[in-house]
Amino acid sequence: MKTKTLFLNYAILFIALISGCASDDFQDTVGICPIVESTTPLSNAIAVPVNSNIIVTFNEEMDPTTITQSSITLTGSSTVAGTVTYSGKTASFKPTSALAENTTYTGRVKTTVKDLKGNALQTDYVWAFTTGLILRPIVTSTDPINNATDVILNKVITATFSMPMNPSTLNATTFTIKQGVNTIPGTISYSGSTASFTPTIALDANTTYTATITNGAKNSSDTALLANYVWTFKTGINPTIIATDPLNNAINVNLLKTVTANFSIAMDPTSINATTFTLKQGTTVVLGTVSYSGITASFDPTLPLQAGKVYTATITTGAKSTIGIPVANNYLWSFTTTVTPPIVVLPSAINLGTAAMFGAFGGNAGITNQGLNTVINNGSIGTTAASTLVTGFHDANAIYTETPLNVGNVTGRIYTAPPAPGTATSFAVASQGLLDANAAYLSISPASKPGGTDPGAGELGGLTLAPGVYKSASGTFKISNGNLTLDAQGDPNATWIFQTAAGLTVGIAGPTGAKSIIMKNGALAKNVFWYVGTAATINGAGGGVMVGTIIANAGVTFSTAGNAAQTVLNGRAISLVASVTMVNTTVNVPNN
């Protein structure tokens, strides 16, 4: 038995010596050759992550001094740099930098590696694997989009990614906005999958900007964009004022003028207001209402402008387009009003106050037009009633219930109570006008101007009258037997006051029934006044020329519905309580 065992040991020793794997000490257990049991990645593996470490596991513990960068190597298109470590039965190769995507690499364990007994790997162990494509973040959308135009000046620029990003990699270095070579200052934030750049100051108008997300931006797995992402956009243009009314340096501007400015592009209506559109006379701010429609801003003074004064209108940079871009600079223009004052103060001390600007005033009951040819020249109309009680009229700013058959043109303004187009401001103007009309009514009453005579026993037709005060003894005046002539006898200040406790009737029925007032020898319409206790009816058959300021307590009516003949009033038709009705009537409001 001993002989047999000895023989087997020698046989094993002989085989080991031949193979090079014998122990140096014959008394020790005979060793076997070390082998590579496994690798990570496996041989022929695909889609291997580019940040993988290469791991080699042996069947036994190895001599650490033989596990080096020269004994374990990795090559692709060239030798890969890395560090080799060893622990237990495992050697690790850690590449210095990430491996290339979609690339085949060859790992090699050389025969210079040995186990603890000095037994070497018998042949080089070689295997290969292929890396995969990295799932990189990409920019999926931006705001503004690439090549966008008309971008607002306070725009927050955003970029949305295909996956969650590492917020710390989105900063002033990786997300920039430039105008040419100049970097725009701003703050950067990140939420969800969107990075936002908020400029510290507003962008410049009509300017091209370039936004960049660099490949320093990384996802939550620390994978970067493949390349820089760059896009451009252009801001919108500044709106400009292309026309004004009045023009700059205009003269003889109407005292009832609504000041307007037209813009080059549509504006944000909320930015056109009493702060951004102002009117001043010297340093005095003019009160008024500001409105905006289409491309036109309008400033409607609350009261008539002063005669012979220079006014300056201003549109400030607070006025902005619909996309929030302001006027580049404050826009100023000036104009001078006409020398004609708006208030009538006659030598006879008859003061109409603000009522002087009205060609017709309907008390608290409204004004009605029937016909296509009614016009108020050189003046306004008003009522303290709601705007719905003014029918068949329009001014430069609004239409008041006109129909195809009832159109009345007011060259001044229409002042009423709300609803729109009536406003609190226009109601205030109308209310003051009514107060002043009442005061004027009392100033020409028999109590204030006593001593009136009645040369025609209530009939004024066919008479020629010198300046003076005339009072109807019966309580009514008529002009029915012919025309009334007023003779100033060369006195430009000649004044006539007619007083009737009840009604005034001008004209008679029939196609030739219209009667007129003839002015001669310098007589002026502004110096003729009618005090009417109830209502005045003027040429019910149509036609004729009435003269003077009629202040009636209970209404004034011109012509009759259906009459085509034009009835003319050179003066004013003011009713304190009831309405004023016109049919194809021309009212020429006298100047002072």
Side-chain angles (χ1 to χ4, degrees):
M1 175 62 82
K2 290 182 179 180
T3 303
K4 184 179 179 180
T5 301
L6 184 58
F7 174 78
L8 288 174
N9 286 337
Y10 275 110
I12 293 171
L13 177 59
F14 176 74
I15 294 170
L17 289 172
I18 294 174
S19 64
C21 297
S23 170
D24 292 335
D25 186 351
F26 179 77
Q27 299 300 318
D28 293 338
T29 304
V30 175
I32 61 175
C33 294
I35 62 172
V36 175
E37 282 190 337
S38 65
T39 60
T40 302
L42 295 172
S43 181
N44 297 318
I46 60 174
V48 174
V50 296
N51 59 348
S52 296
N53 289 338
I54 313 306
I55 299 173
V56 178
T57 302
F58 297 92
N59 66 327
E60 59 177 310
E61 290 190 40
M62 305 296 288
D63 180 358
T65 62
T66 66
I67 308 298
T68 66
Q69 290 171 289
S70 61
S71 61
I72 298 179
T73 63
L74 184 67
T75 57
S77 57
S78 61
T79 299
V80 177
T83 57
V84 175
T85 58
Y86 177 77
S87 177
K89 296 180 182 181
T90 302
S92 296
F93 180 94
K94 182 178 182 180
T96 303
S97 58
L99 302 179
E101 296 179 56
N102 198 30
T103 300
T104 298
Y105 286 88
T106 300
R108 183 179 296 272
V109 181
K110 298 181 180 179
T111 57
T112 55
V113 300
K114 296 180 181 181
D115 63 14
L116 294 175
K117 296 182 181 295
N119 300 319
L121 201 66
Q122 294 302 291
T123 59
D124 285 358
Y125 184 88
V126 180
W127 83 106
F129 60 86
T130 303
T131 55
L133 293 173
I134 299 175
L135 184 59
R136 293 183 181 275
I138 61 172
V139 176
T140 58
S141 64
T142 62
D143 183 20
I145 61 173
N146 189 33
N147 296 321
T149 58
D150 287 334
V151 174
I152 60 176
L153 305 188
N154 60 347
K155 183 66 178 176
V156 176
I157 299 95
T158 66
T160 300
F161 298 90
S162 58
M163 61 186 67
M165 302 294 287
N166 180 350
S168 66
T169 67
L170 293 165
N171 49 53
T173 301
T174 60
F175 191 175
T176 61
I177 309 295
K178 289 188 176 184
Q179 192 279 304
V181 297
N182 299 318
T183 299
I184 305 303
T187 57
I188 297 164
S189 59
Y190 178 77
S191 178
S193 58
T194 299
S196 301
F197 183 103
T198 304
T200 303
I201 58 176
L203 304 177
D204 292 330
N206 197 29
T207 301
T208 298
Y209 290 87
T210 300
T212 302
I213 303 287
T214 74
N215 59 5
K218 299 178 180 181
N219 66 11
S220 55
S221 299
D222 215 30
T223 301
L225 273 69
L226 182 62
N228 292 355
Y229 187 89
V230 181
W231 74 103
T232 63
F233 59 89
K234 188 175 184 179
T235 51
I237 62 173
N238 293 106
T240 60
I241 287 84
I242 57 175
T244 62
D245 184 20
L247 297 173
N248 188 33
N249 297 322
I251 60 174
N252 294 323
V253 174
N254 192 303
L255 305 184
L256 302 176
K257 188 66 178 177
T258 296
V259 182
T260 65
N262 288 355
F263 294 89
S264 57
I265 55 179
M267 302 295 285
D268 175 4
T270 63
S271 73
I272 309 297
N273 50 53
T275 301
T276 60
F277 190 177
T278 60
L279 184 65
K280 290 184 177 182
Q281 196 281 300
T283 58
T284 302
V285 175
V286 177
L287 298 179
T289 302
V290 177
S291 59
Y292 178 78
S293 178
I295 59 169
T296 302
S298 301
F299 184 100
D300 182 21
T302 301
L303 297 174
L305 303 179
Q306 298 180 49
K309 299 291 185 180
V310 175
Y311 287 84
T312 300
T314 303
I315 303 284
T316 74
T317 55
K320 299 179 180 180
S321 69
T322 53
I323 61 172
I325 298 179
V327 175
N329 300 291
N330 290 354
Y331 187 90
L332 288 76
W333 73 104
S334 299
F335 58 87
T336 304
T337 54
T338 179
V339 295
T340 303
I343 306 302
V344 175
V345 181
L346 300 177
S348 56
I350 298 171
N351 185 355
L352 293 175
T354 61
M357 69 179 178
F358 294 104
F361 196 95
N364 57 10
I367 306 173
T368 300
N369 164 55
Q370 300 177 52
L372 294 174
N373 297 318
T374 293
V375 60
I376 310 298
N377 290 320
N378 195 40
S380 302
I381 65 174
T383 177
T384 58
S387 62
T388 52
L389 294 182
V390 174
T391 61
F393 286 99
H394 69 271
D395 62 12
N397 294 322
I399 296 174
Y400 292 73
T401 324
E402 285 186 338
T403 70
L405 297 178
N406 300 314
V407 178
N409 179 27
V410 179
T411 60
R413 290 296 311 278
I414 299 175
Y415 295 92
T416 73
T423 65
T425 299
S426 66
F427 174 66
V429 174
S431 297
Q432 185 61 51
L434 183 57
L435 289 174
D436 291 347
N438 270 292
Y441 181 72
L442 296 175
S443 74
I444 61 173
S445 68
S448 298
K449 300 290 183 183
T453 61
D454 187 0
E459 174 60 64
L460 298 176
L463 299 179
T464 297
L465 298 178
V469 177
Y470 299 90
K471 176 184 176 184
S472 170
S474 63
T476 62
F477 268 137
K478 298 186 293 182
I479 304 177
S480 59
N481 289 344
N483 295 328
L484 168 63
T485 299
L486 302 180
D487 185 357
Q489 301 172 354
D491 180 4
N493 296 320
T495 302
W496 291 262
I497 297 176
F498 296 91
Q499 302 163 339
T500 168
L504 166 66
T505 302
V506 177
I508 59 176
T512 60
K515 304 304 177 186
S516 298
I517 294 178
I518 309 301
M519 309 292 283
K520 63 183 295 186
N521 293 324
L524 299 174
K526 69 176 184 177
N527 293 335
V528 179
F529 299 89
W530 299 86
Y531 171 94
V532 182
T534 56
T537 301
I538 311 300
N539 287 325
V545 178
M546 181 62 180
V547 174
T549 296
I550 304 167
I551 307 180
N553 188 61
V556 184
T557 301
F558 292 85
S559 190
T560 306
N563 285 336
Q566 197 75 7
T567 301
V568 176
L569 168 64
N570 294 326
R572 304 171 182 85
I574 298 174
S575 172
L576 302 179
V577 177
S579 63
V580 174
T581 300
M582 300 179 178
V583 178
N584 290 325
T585 302
T586 298
V587 178
N588 298 310
V589 180
N591 290 323
N592 188 26

